[in-house]
Amino acid sequence: MPSRQYATFEVADQLFGVDVAQVQEVLRFHEYTRVPLAPTSVGGLFNLRGQVIAAVDLRVQLGLPPRDLNVPAMNVIVSVDDEWVSLLVDRIGEVIELDDDAFEPPPDTLAGAYRNLIVGTFKLQDRLMLALDARRAADTTVPVPAQHSA
């Protein structure tokens, strides 16, 4: 049975996952350079071994309040269109392997920014994992819809 590995993480106590093939690395970082006039979702820039990486606040992309960048953040660095982008998340999970047959479309109850960023769901033993579209999550040019309704 075909399966896929997902790197998991949490934002606002919700479990998300991205295809592990898109993940370059995961790290904690706390020194970001602000970008004047950038969208609110751009948390800043940082230097990773000589490469400048844009940090996108996934909380903002999901229509939630921005994170405090004075507190060390967890970064999931993904490859999007041959560029590295950091998704700022609350907590890092683990890499899990899920059967493709367990994939379900996003539930109708997802609204706002969640609906735009989620490509599907997986029912795990004790919770729901939302499969995130890394390309859309890293796109700061799209206006963020109103906060989702729970």
Side-chain angles (χ1 to χ4, degrees), residues 19-58:
D19 189 324
V20 77
Q22 291 183 280
V23 177
Q24 299 303 307
E25 66 183 285
V26 174
L27 58 98
R28 178 177 291 227
F29 203 79
H30 64 278
E31 291 186 30
Y32 301 92
T33 301
R34 294 265 181 218
V35 181
L37 306 175
T40 311
S41 56
V42 176
L45 302 174
F46 66 97
N47 187 321
L48 179 64
R49 294 183 293 278
Q51 184 170 354
V52 176
I53 307 285
V56 176
D57 189 341
L58 198 48

Side-chain angles (χ1 to χ4, degrees), residues 3 11 14 21 34 49 59 65 77 89 107 109 114 117 139 146:
S3 64
V11 176
Q14 174 62 59
R34 294 265 181 218
R49 294 183 293 278
R59 294 181 64 85
I77 299 176
V89 303
T109 55
Y114 277 69
L117 300 180
D139 186 353

Side-chain angles (χ1 to χ4, degrees), residues 8-10 26-27 74-76 87 89-94:
T8 64
F9 51 88
E10 292 183 18
V26 174
L27 58 98
M74 295 306 297
N75 294 265
V76 177
L87 301 177
V89 303
D90 297 341
R91 278 179 292 291
I92 297 300
E94 56 193 356

Side-chain angles (χ1 to χ4, degrees), residues 58-76:
L58 198 48
R59 294 181 64 85
V60 174
Q61 292 292 78
L62 291 167
L64 301 169
R67 67 178 302 105
D68 179 2
L69 289 178
N70 294 320
V71 177
M74 295 306 297
N75 294 265
V76 177

